Amino acid sequence: MTTYEPVIGLEIHAELQTKSKMFCGCSAAYSEAPAANTLICPVCTALPGAMPVVNQKAVEQAILVGLALNCTINPMNQFARKNYFYPDLPKGYQISQYDLPVASNGWLNILAGTDPQRIRVRRAHLEEDTAKLFHHDRHTLVDYNRAGVPLLEIVSEPDMHTVEAALDYATRIRAILRYLGVNSGDMEKGVLRFEANVSVRPTGSSELLTRTEIKNLNSFRALTRATAFEIQRQTQIYQSGAEVVQETLGWNDLKEMTISQRSKEEAHDYRYFPEPDLPPLEINRAWVEQIKSELPELPEMREQRLIMQFGLTVNEARLLTSDKALADYYEKTVSLSKSPVKTISNWITGEFLRYVNDMGLDLEHLPFPPEHLAQLVDLVTAKAINDNTAKEVLAGMFKTGQSPETIVKANNLGQISDQDALELVVAQVLNDNPKEVASYLAGKQTVFQWMMGQVARLTRGKADPQVARKLLLQALEKARISK
Amino acid sequence: MTPSESNKPAFSIDADMVKHVAFLVRLGIQDEEAQAFSHQFSAIIDYFHLLNEVDTGDVPPACETSNTRSVMRPDVIKPSMPREDFLKNVPHREGDYVQVPLVFGEE
Amino acid sequence: MQPHTLSIREAHELLTTKQISSVELTTAVLDHIHKTDPLINAFVTIADELALEQARLADQRLRQSEDITPLTGIPFAVKDCISTRGLRTTCSSKILENYIPPYNATVIDRLSTAGAVLIGKQNMDEFGMGSSCENSAFFDTHNPWDLERVPGGSSGGSAAAVAANMGLFALGEDTGGSIRMPAGFCNVTGLKTTYGRVSRYGLIALVSSFDSIGPMARSAYDCAAVLQSIAGQDLKDATSLPDPIPDYLKMLDKPVKGLRLGIPKEYFQAGMEAGVESSIREAIQKFEELGMEIREVSLPHTTYGLPVYYLVLFAEASANLARFDGTRFGLSVAEGAENVIDQYLQTRREGFGPEVKRRIMLGAYVLSAGYYDAYYLKAQKVRTLLRQDFEAAFEQCDALVAPTCPTTAFKLGEKTDDPLTMYLSDIYVVATNPAGVPSLCVPCGFSNNMPVGMQLIGKHLSEDVLLQIGHAYQSATDWHLKRPAVSK
Ligand SMILES: [Zn+2]
């Protein structure tokens, strides 16, 4: 039977983080609106006679993204009207960009599995978000607070051939947007939405077969599930000898399947034409250069730097740079700590991230600063506490936000590495267990571990294992001689 | 400026096309109306074929009338309008929301 | 003295010398409207109370002699496509019959700041689509010179009102002759401004790239006074021009001697009514007497102005009118609607008249995939040629003169059966709008007892020159002072 490989392109809609909306002065912070229809004006509710004026900050953010994605910034931009009727679209057209978008012809490096791959970015253009609809049994309610919030649509070429590649591309785009500070990446709030174009073709061929478009993918999970489902559906269709129909699909999260949206199909003649209410937008080189100078270090560059600077593995570096806040936290901790970088990396990629993920924490609002994490790692390095205790302390830090020193003191968790104190403990172990001492001295080496266990028991785990080991060996040698 | 040259095949926009464009602009029309519009549209559009006389090979399209460029506003929040000012014109409302009949094609 | 017959200039003199108050003037105008408008039907809404309230405020300003402009205390009305806060704004359409805007158009704010007194809203062809005012969803407006005839369109209510002394001036809106054509039919002086000279914010758009608001008044002088108050960049309209505003009134008295006046030969073709042509020729004679240099010029793409104009109009209007969907304002026919599409179909079917329906359907047609290049794009390319025609002509002259219409006002009902014939009546006025240039309509005689208008066309932002020429002509003639019997 013929095998098929997928061909996937992604459209990513990202809300830009401006203060005001794309074409009017209403606040764009719709998720913090006091009530429905409070962040509105004649422009964003399309009252007769109202006119749009472009938000300069939105253009700058779009240019920033374009540069980060290695795009050409088009010196002449034009807005266009995309005409269709839908109750979330007050004007009956969306102001978007058509043949002259802000940015085009860029690329982004990803990992398809373990193989590096360059995905081409076709274009990035500005448009406006729609109103929010609330569907009820017998009618629909409209809230215009979100209408007119700036959106950047980033369109890839159909260059991805696995679900993993698509996921990696989407993940990296999200990271870049967060690095640039133009999008919070908060998927639950809907600030980032995906549409996937999916087709399949016989493995090894280079033809492009009929594609379908899956809309409304509002999480990475939905993106991976929907594309995987669609790939399988199309493959089965071809294998059964039938043909795939070009159509728009919706993803149903509950039923875990794509569903045809025929009602939207007929209206696909968008009748684009240049927006006459907005003069063309010139983006001159000086402006682009100025924005370029504000471009921060991006994930890919940072990944390379961390590998070079700290000797991290590729996987560690990728994980640590996947989020700007995490990478910032990591680098800050490294700069504050006296411990080896390797130890710090292990702590952050291990226990630390496990808590962050388990507790669903926002990396930008952690309960404690990097200073505290640096202290914790330094306590371990200085053998003031052992690994197990450190894990307990870290749990306490996540729970209470207190500094590790405070927690250690309050709970008397400090590691015992004091020679005199441990000598007493070792002496007691030898005193209490003459039989075991005898069998060790008779050559039964395994008893040593048991005796170490006794030291740990008596110190409730706080004994510095290396010091304890040394003292125990010395005491047993003494016993051998005195015997 | 006579409507059409005699040797040109008669141009026509049929009633189905009229119904198609009527639906694109969400205009309810009936069959008889579509028929009447079809005749008018054919005459009007046929007259506009006059433009085919003009050689526009290298001519760029005009896209704007004023010669302004790059007009933008700073990203500053202006007070929104009082909600009641907006809602008092709304034909069907429910509380603070605007109400419309069912929307199909959504999840 | 009959206050309602005063010009702005005369009224200003009387107001500032305290010989009349704004309340007296406004009351006289309102009384005259209530007496006369039942014959004319120029007004959709008459705002007596609001008017008197503003008149009292104007009188305060006048009493304190503070902050007085040439328009302080002057009663005026506007075409009903200009948004007025708290005052119904209908575009003479059923779909907006009960719409009360929550905000003012920028021009209304500016006139209010100047102290002018808004007295009402004037009838028009629905959404500006028409050349006779017969496409109003409410009623026909009659030409004050002959009640059997149309006032022209689409600013027909405004032209008829100014001609019949119902308001000292009006704001009209010109998409493709909508100020000049009715001004010519009614013996009114009307100025289509340069695209972008006057803010469109709050003007209910017909064709966003053509629409221009401008004054309609008794004289070029009065038009200059109004333009002074409304011109200038508006940050709410990205297409408004930042260029400085000349002192239009001061420029009026500059001599016209030596100015070059072009006669575009394409505007003087067969089909023009004899009385119209002779009036225009006499006016040209007068310009020559005033010392202007007359020369023939060519605007070779004139014939294509009409298709360019209508194709762009259809396209833009079809999008501009999409927001009238029965959801947020205006008429909503939701009874029996199973879904929102039904509501759209029903509302727009009931709410729009036949001409509006025709044009928005044709707009969808010319923008459709597969037709875009042949119609919309082609029109935009020829539009470039039209602009170049004007640019070339203005290398050789300072202004052009041409008739506003091949005929005088036609009879009500005469052209309503055939949309294409109606479109052809705009033939002389449409080309200026795709080019964005200004044009002043000046009354220049009568043909079969109906007024004849000529238009002076200038290059971008040359309103001052047009007004200067118009004023010189009106200082030497008195056609613009003639008033119909009903205006008394
Ligand atoms: Zn707004």
Side-chain angles (χ1 to χ4, degrees):
Chain A
M1 193 177 273
T2 320
T3 59
Y4 289 83
E5 69 165 357
V7 179
I8 306 166
L10 286 187
E11 285 175 25
I12 299 181
H13 296 256
E15 275 177 6
L16 295 176
Q17 279 187 315
T18 54
K19 293 190 188 78
S20 63
K21 292 185 179 181
M22 182 68 216
F23 298 115
C24 64
C26 293
S27 166
Y30 65 90
S31 58
E32 287 146 40
N37 293 313
T38 47
L39 305 180
I40 55 168
C41 73
V43 178
C44 55
T45 56
L47 294 190
M51 295 177 69
V53 186
V54 171
N55 183 337
Q56 178 165 352
K57 190 80 193 169
V59 178
E60 286 172 356
Q61 293 189 356
I63 295 171
L64 205 54
V65 176
L67 291 172
L69 297 177
N70 310 294
C71 291
T72 306
I73 304 302
N74 294 315
M76 185 60 84
N77 271 241
Q78 176 94 61
F79 288 90
R81 292 184 181 177
K82 178 181 181 181
N83 296 286
Y84 65 96
F85 282 83
Y86 210 66
D88 65 6
L89 189 68
K91 292 188 291 295
Y93 55 84
Q94 182 188 37
I95 304 179
S96 181
Q97 295 187 294
Y98 190 54
D99 46 8
L100 293 171
V102 174
S104 47
N105 299 324
W107 46 263
L108 176 66
N109 290 330
I110 67 155
L111 280 179
T114 52
D115 302 330
Q117 197 197 340
R118 177 164 288 189
I119 306 299
R120 291 170 299 157
V121 174
R122 184 182 300 168
R123 56 188 274 140
H125 68 254
L126 281 163
E127 55 186 35
E128 52 180 338
D129 212 342
T130 54
K132 256 193 170 156
L133 299 182
F134 298 91
H135 301 284
H136 295 259
D137 285 347
R138 320 208 49 169
H139 59 258
T140 298
L141 300 180
V142 194
D143 170 13
Y144 294 93
N145 286 344
R146 195 181 66 182
V149 167
L151 273 187
L152 187 70
E153 182 174 332
I154 304 163
V155 184
S156 84
E157 295 292 346
D159 284 353
M160 289 155 275
H161 301 290
T162 59
V163 173
E164 292 70 31
L167 178 63
D168 193 54
Y169 171 82
T171 309
R172 283 171 189 267
I173 294 276
R174 176 177 177 272
I176 288 171
L177 296 175
R178 280 173 56 91
Y179 266 69
L180 298 174
V182 303
N183 180 284
S184 70
D186 195 339
M187 309 284 292
E188 306 223 319
K189 286 190 178 151
V191 300
L192 206 57
R193 279 119 54 188
F194 307 122
E195 285 178 29
N197 297 311
V198 178
S199 65
V200 298
R201 63 184 175 201
T203 309
S205 101
S206 59
E207 61 188 327
L208 286 175
L209 300 181
T210 308
R211 68 193 177 108
T212 57
E213 193 178 329
I214 318 168
K215 291 197 181 276
N216 311 328
L217 300 173
N218 297 333
S219 65
F220 287 113
R221 186 188 137 93
L223 172 66
T224 50
R225 298 281 176 121
T227 42
F229 177 91
E230 188 57 19
I231 291 162
Q232 200 186 7
R233 189 185 73 88
Q234 292 187 15
T235 304
Q236 281 169 359
I237 290 174
Y238 287 123
Q239 286 176 341
S240 73
E243 289 294 319
V244 169
V245 180
Q246 178 164 0
E247 62 184 334
T248 302
L249 305 167
W251 172 247
N252 187 314
D253 248 333
L254 296 174
K255 293 184 191 157
E256 295 245 321
M257 59 189 296
T258 55
I259 291 166
S260 178
Q261 292 191 319
R262 282 189 200 287
S263 60
K264 280 191 174 176
E265 200 67 355
E266 47 75 30
H268 259 164
D269 190 351
Y270 288 129
R271 290 160 284 136
Y272 281 99
F273 71 96
E275 166 58 274
D277 282 336
L278 294 171
L281 188 63
E282 272 175 4
I283 302 178
N284 59 35
R285 271 189 49 191
W287 195 18
V288 174
E289 287 307 317
Q290 191 218 320
I291 292 171
K292 200 180 250 171
S293 71
E294 293 161 11
L295 207 59
E297 187 184 31
L298 293 168
E300 200 186 344
M301 288 139 71
R302 199 168 191 176
E303 191 179 309
Q304 293 307 315
R305 180 170 62 80
L306 292 190
I307 292 170
M308 300 288 289
Q309 197 173 337
F310 300 130
L312 300 183
T313 66
V314 173
N315 279 341
E316 280 172 335
R318 254 207 85 194
L319 179 60
L320 288 168
T321 55
S322 64
D323 191 283
K324 182 171 184 294
L326 176 62
D328 288 348
Y329 202 94
Y330 168 76
E331 289 207 62
K332 185 83 195 192
T333 308
V334 169
S335 75
L336 292 166
S337 165
K338 297 178 211 67
S339 308
V341 174
K342 182 78 192 152
T343 315
I344 300 166
S345 311
N346 286 343
W347 272 95
I348 293 192
T349 56
E351 282 299 293
F352 172 83
L353 270 186
R354 195 172 59 75
Y355 276 108
V356 169
N357 293 335
D358 287 356
M359 296 171 77
L361 295 176
D362 176 357
L363 284 162
E364 267 164 88
H365 302 98
L366 290 176
F368 54 87
E371 282 83 352
H372 286 184
L373 190 65
Q375 275 175 21
L376 178 71
V377 180
D378 286 352
L379 285 173
V380 177
T381 307
K383 302 193 183 342
I385 55 175
N386 64 26
D387 278 8
N388 287 330
T389 309
K391 286 176 190 170
E392 269 177 62
V393 174
L394 186 61
M397 288 159 68
F398 274 110
K399 207 180 291 170
T400 65
Q402 288 174 323
S403 78
E405 272 161 6
T406 312
I407 296 172
V408 166
K409 271 199 193 115
N411 299 288
N412 193 24
L413 294 173
Q415 180 161 280
I416 303 170
S417 48
D418 178 71
Q419 294 252 355
D420 296 344
L422 281 180
E423 266 173 26
L424 289 174
V425 174
V426 168
Q428 190 187 340
V429 171
L430 264 61
N431 264 338
D432 291 355
N433 304 289
K435 257 197 281 177
E436 282 73 14
V437 173
S439 75
Y440 173 82
L441 293 176
K444 200 171 179 196
Q445 293 285 323
T446 48
V447 180
F448 184 80
Q449 269 319 314
W450 182 85
M451 281 191 283
M452 279 294 285
Q454 292 307 303
V455 174
R457 188 177 61 83
L458 288 172
T459 57
R460 277 184 281 139
K462 290 186 287 178
D464 181 325
Q466 279 174 325
V467 179
R469 183 184 181 84
K470 194 183 82 189
L471 291 175
L472 187 58
L473 280 171
Q474 282 172 0
L476 287 167
E477 271 325 289
K478 254 187 224 163
R480 187 194 301 278
I481 293 161
S482 65
K483 194 175 95 177
Chain B
M1 48 185 70
T2 48
S4 68
E5 266 83 26
S6 52
N7 57 352
K8 203 161 45 175
F11 175 80
S12 121
I13 295 177
D14 65 19
D16 282 344
M17 177 56 100
V18 172
K19 285 191 228 167
H20 170 70
V21 293
F23 188 71
L24 278 180
V25 295
R26 296 296 185 270
L27 204 55
I29 62 165
Q30 280 154 5
D31 287 351
E32 323 76 270
E33 293 172 292
Q35 206 60 52
F37 281 131
S38 145
H39 297 308
Q40 292 167 349
F41 288 6
S42 303
I44 291 166
I45 294 290
D46 194 34
Y47 168 64
F48 293 165
H49 287 143
L50 189 64
L51 291 186
N52 293 337
E53 292 175 5
V54 188
D55 178 10
T56 49
D58 300 333
V59 182
C63 54
E64 89 290 359
T65 315
S66 68
N67 293 315
T68 50
R69 286 276 189 281
S70 310
V71 180
M72 289 175 279
R73 38 171 277 271
D75 183 25
V76 175
I77 296 176
K78 295 271 174 66
S80 288
M81 67 201 276
R83 179 168 44 175
E84 240 355 86
D85 274 9
F86 169 67
L87 288 174
K88 71 187 176 195
N89 269 306
V90 170
H92 314 285
R93 58 184 275 196
E94 189 182 294
D96 302 333
Y97 291 87
V98 174
Q99 188 190 304
V100 292
L102 278 181
V103 176
F104 290 143
E106 276 283 324
E107 65 275 84
Chain C
M1 175 190 67
Q2 287 192 298
H4 65 274
T5 64
L6 296 169
S7 68
I8 295 174
R9 188 181 198 173
E10 292 160 347
H12 178 68
E13 176 68 22
L14 297 179
L15 285 164
T16 48
T17 54
K18 317 281 194 284
Q19 297 179 61
I20 192 172
S21 70
S22 176
V23 168
E24 285 164 342
L25 175 60
T26 303
T27 306
V29 170
L30 287 168
D31 288 348
H32 177 63
I33 292 173
H34 287 295
K35 186 186 85 185
T36 309
D37 198 47
L39 299 171
I40 311 288
N41 282 333
F43 283 82
V44 176
T45 305
I46 303 166
D48 298 75
E49 267 175 52
L50 182 74
L52 290 169
E53 198 180 298
Q54 298 168 83
R56 279 189 285 272
L57 289 174
D59 279 335
Q60 263 176 32
R61 271 166 82 164
L62 289 160
R63 261 196 305 278
Q64 292 158 359
S65 300
E66 250 176 37
D67 201 13
I68 295 173
T69 75
L71 301 184
T72 307
I74 304 288
F76 76 104
V78 297
K79 187 177 182 180
D80 210 15
C81 54
I82 295 173
S83 301
T84 45
R85 182 171 52 231
L87 188 62
R88 197 164 72 116
T89 301
T90 68
C91 276
S92 291
S93 177
K94 255 180 90 175
I95 214 158
L96 283 181
E97 192 166 0
N98 299 307
Y99 169 63
I100 298 174
Y103 77 105
N104 268 340
T106 297
V107 285
I108 298 295
D109 278 340
R110 288 191 175 171
L111 287 177
S112 168
T113 304
V117 175
L118 176 65
I119 55 172
K121 307 297 291 286
Q122 291 156 332
N123 199 27
M124 56 190 281
D125 286 294
E126 185 179 2
F127 284 103
M129 298 187 192
S131 313
S132 68
C133 226
E134 292 164 292
N135 291 337
S136 164
F138 307 138
F139 37 74
D140 295 343
T141 296
H142 300 258
N143 191 313
W145 292 90
D146 177 353
L147 299 179
E148 304 279 288
R149 291 179 185 270
V150 302
S154 64
S155 310
S158 306
V162 173
N165 289 335
M166 300 190 287
L168 275 65
F169 74 93
L171 285 188
E173 174 279 326
D174 192 310
T175 303
S178 290
I179 285 178
R180 291 159 288 154
M181 200 249 199
F185 278 9
C186 295
N187 215 52
V188 163
T189 307
L191 176 65
K192 177 235 172 278
T193 50
T194 303
Y195 179 81
R197 175 81 288 186
V198 177
S199 167
R200 292 186 291 121
Y201 188 77
L203 166 70
I204 301 179
L206 170 55
V207 184
S208 306
S209 69
F210 294 168
D211 295 347
S212 313
I213 293 175
M216 301 176 80
R218 315 245 203 273
S219 64
Y221 181 97
D222 284 6
C223 285
V226 177
L227 181 61
Q228 200 72 55
S229 288
I230 59 172
Q233 190 177 23
D234 174 13
L235 298 178
K236 290 187 235 166
D237 172 0
T239 63
S240 67
L241 296 167
D243 305 67
I245 307 157
D247 187 334
Y248 294 110
L249 285 173
K250 213 178 237 169
M251 304 288 281
L252 287 178
D253 292 321
K254 271 177 59 180
V256 295
K257 193 168 184 317
L259 285 179
R260 300 159 303 165
L261 189 64
I263 316 288
K265 62 178 184 198
E266 291 81 4
Y267 282 66
F268 293 83
Q269 304 278 340
M272 205 190 303
E273 190 176 308
V276 170
E277 177 151 18
S278 59
S279 296
I280 306 286
R281 297 277 177 207
E282 269 173 50
I284 293 168
Q285 189 70 43
K286 183 60 74 182
F287 287 124
E288 209 161 5
E289 287 167 25
L290 290 169
M292 294 180 75
E293 268 179 47
I294 312 296
R295 56 182 64 182
E296 188 173 87
V297 297
S298 172
L299 298 168
H301 296 91
T302 297
T303 319
Y304 309 109
L306 204 73
V308 166
Y309 168 76
Y310 275 103
L311 283 167
V312 176
L313 181 151
F314 293 161
E316 289 193 26
S318 73
N320 281 333
L321 269 61
R323 67 187 60 192
F324 303 97
D325 60 6
T327 300
R328 297 169 314 290
F329 47 79
L331 180 74
S332 182
V333 188
E335 289 76 38
E338 282 181 18
N339 57 46
V340 73
I341 294 177
D342 287 347
Q343 178 190 297
Y344 294 155
L345 294 170
Q346 292 171 190
T347 300
R348 292 163 68 81
R349 175 189 173 76
E350 299 272 311
F352 290 142
E355 185 58 31
V356 173
K357 289 178 180 173
R358 259 193 293 276
R359 296 193 188 188
I360 61 178
M361 282 190 277
L362 284 164
Y365 178 79
V366 302
L367 287 173
S368 272
Y371 298 100
Y372 181 88
D373 286 4
Y375 298 114
Y376 179 81
L377 189 63
K378 181 79 180 180
Q380 291 290 25
K381 287 178 175 175
V382 181
R383 182 178 177 182
T384 299
L385 299 174
L386 283 175
R387 293 180 65 161
Q388 289 170 355
D389 276 5
F390 280 108
E391 281 161 19
F394 290 125
E395 305 260 301
Q396 304 165 53
C397 56
D398 302 296
L400 303 170
V401 64
T404 51
C405 190
T407 66
T408 54
F410 44 88
K411 290 238 155 97
L412 282 154
E414 191 180 320
K415 296 188 179 184
T416 44
D417 287 343
D418 181 2
L420 188 53
T421 312
M422 187 70 96
Y423 295 174
L424 291 169
S425 54
D426 294 336
I427 195 99
Y428 294 148
V429 276
V430 291
T432 47
N433 296 66
V437 295
S439 172
L440 178 71
C441 172
V442 181
C444 66
F446 284 79
S447 169
N448 300 319
N449 300 317
M450 291 305 289
V452 174
M454 66 174 161
Q455 55 175 338
L456 297 162
I457 304 170
K459 61 181 153 208
H460 277 245
L461 294 173
S462 70
E463 283 87 352
D464 52 348
V465 178
L466 300 183
L467 289 165
Q468 179 197 344
I469 299 170
H471 182 67
Y473 177 79
Q474 291 181 338
S475 301
T477 60
D478 64 354
W479 297 115
H480 65 293
L481 299 176
K482 305 224 177 288
R483 287 284 161 266
V486 290
S487 67
K488 299 285 182 294

